[in-house]
Amino acid sequence: MTGPFQIVRKTVFFYRENFLDCLLFGFLSQMVSIVGMMLSPLSRLSALPNLSSEWLSENVGQVVTLGMTWIFWAVLNLWLYLLIAAAIAKLVWKRTKNEEAQVVSASLSAFEQGGPLLWANMLTAFIIGSAAFCASILFLLQRAAANTPGGGLILSLLLLACMSGVVFLCLKFSLVTPIVLLEGKKGRDALNRSWFLMTGRESDAFFLFAFLFAILLLFGVLMGFLRGGELNTTVNPDAATFSMIENIIGIVIAPLFPIGITYFYQDIVAHEKKF
């Protein structure tokens, strides 16, 4: 099998060869992020008069409506992200096989699988989110028992194990999107297929994601140098320039993960067919 470093090289090579298409997908992804934050129902919280427990108890209906609206908005944003990632995956899959593939056709193919993509990824998010919730509970308990000899150590070990479990689940289900899109699996079948394909390949996936995160970290360090300190985005004229640069970097790096995951999936499937 191809190692994680070679997958990163393939990702960078594909990005270079399809630069404008990748930028287009990156732009769409960044626009979803920006518009999602601007129109998020949670932004209304700043306009509420008082968030005290008394106000919340007297306005339960408004709080519930706001919460349900936020859930709908979060699901919609997730769906849009998935469509963009799936379109990139389809483009990578087709072009690496020297098949004709255009941005529009790849996007339409992703849209046709929009329902199964959302459902499978929501199942994945529920499983990983449940593990993360358990980790957060253990973290709070560990903080509360920090001064308790013995008990704090046990909780720290349990917290470490739970956090490792969260990372493990993220790795095991990392192929769900290309499996739904390229194999037509749905729901639990897609999760089971991802779990099966990733068996024995968790370390490769870990190092692949580590390489990709290293690229993100490099851009983050660059942004830190450019920023040179905290900026007040409401009054500092340099903040607008910084925000624009940040968005441009977001556009550039957004397609990296979908491309890398698709190459990783492609490599696993090709290896599987040999045996």
Side-chain angles (χ1 to χ4, degrees):
M1 275 189 61
T2 305
F5 182 69
Q6 285 74 26
I7 297 294
V8 173
R9 288 184 61 186
K10 287 183 178 180
T11 300
V12 174
F13 180 78
F14 180 87
Y15 198 111
R16 185 183 65 184
E17 293 295 310
N18 303 272
F19 183 69
L20 293 180
D21 291 336
C22 290
L23 281 188
L24 175 59
F25 284 122
F27 174 78
L28 293 175
S29 179
Q30 193 68 6
M31 287 302 298
V32 169
S33 177
I34 294 173
V35 175
M37 288 188 295
M38 290 177 57
L39 301 182
S40 173
L42 292 183
S43 61
R44 302 177 193 173
L45 289 176
S46 59
L48 297 178
N50 188 2
L51 295 181
S52 64
S53 57
E54 292 81 6
W55 186 92
L56 292 175
S57 61
E58 294 173 358
N59 297 270
V60 175
Q62 185 174 352
V63 173
V64 171
T65 301
L66 184 62
M68 295 299 293
T69 305
W70 178 82
I71 292 174
F72 171 79
W73 186 248
V75 171
L76 177 61
N77 277 264
L78 172 63
W79 184 63
L80 292 175
Y81 275 121
L82 290 174
L83 290 181
I84 295 170
I88 297 174
K90 193 70 173 181
L91 202 69
V92 173
W93 182 263
K94 287 283 189 179
R95 290 187 177 176
T96 52
K97 291 180 175 296
N98 296 321
E99 296 180 13
E100 183 67 24
Q102 302 297 328
V103 171
V104 175
S105 61
S107 301
L108 290 175
S109 178
F111 184 78
E112 291 174 356
Q113 297 282 3
L117 278 170
L118 179 60
W119 175 236
N121 279 276
M122 286 185 67
L123 287 176
T124 304
F126 176 77
I127 295 173
I128 297 175
S130 297
F133 178 75
C134 292
S136 64
I137 296 297
L138 287 173
F139 175 75
L140 294 176
L141 293 174
Q142 188 268 341
R143 290 288 299 272
N147 297 324
T148 303
L153 177 60
I154 294 175
L155 287 172
S156 297
L157 293 175
L158 288 175
L159 175 61
L160 179 61
C162 195
M163 292 177 63
S164 300
V166 172
V167 175
F168 179 76
L169 290 174
C170 289
L171 295 175
K172 295 293 284 187
F173 295 132
S174 59
L175 300 179
V176 166
T177 294
I179 286 172
V180 172
L181 182 70
L182 302 173
E183 296 188 16
K185 302 287 186 181
K186 297 180 180 180
R188 192 172 62 179
D189 290 338
L191 273 66
N192 291 336
R193 174 67 169 161
S194 179
W195 187 282
F196 172 77
L197 290 178
M198 288 298 299
T199 300
R201 301 177 177 92
E202 296 87 355
S203 59
D204 289 336
F206 177 82
F207 286 112
L208 170 63
F209 294 142
F211 281 133
L212 295 177
F213 274 116
I215 296 175
L216 297 181
L217 182 61
L218 179 63
F219 279 109
V221 171
L222 175 62
M223 291 303 298
F225 281 119
L226 291 175
R227 188 169 188 172
E230 294 296 327
L231 295 176
N232 186 333
T233 57
T234 59
V235 297
N236 194 323
D238 293 333
T241 302
F242 173 79
S243 179
M244 181 181 68
I245 295 174
E246 192 174 40
N247 289 328
I248 291 174
I249 291 178
I251 291 172
V252 172
I253 64 177
L256 288 177
F257 276 90
I259 296 172
I261 291 171
T262 305
Y263 269 119
F264 189 58
Y265 165 80
Q266 189 178 47
D267 189 61
I268 292 175
V269 171
H271 180 78
E272 183 187 36
K273 291 180 178 179
K274 293 179 180 179
F275 298 94

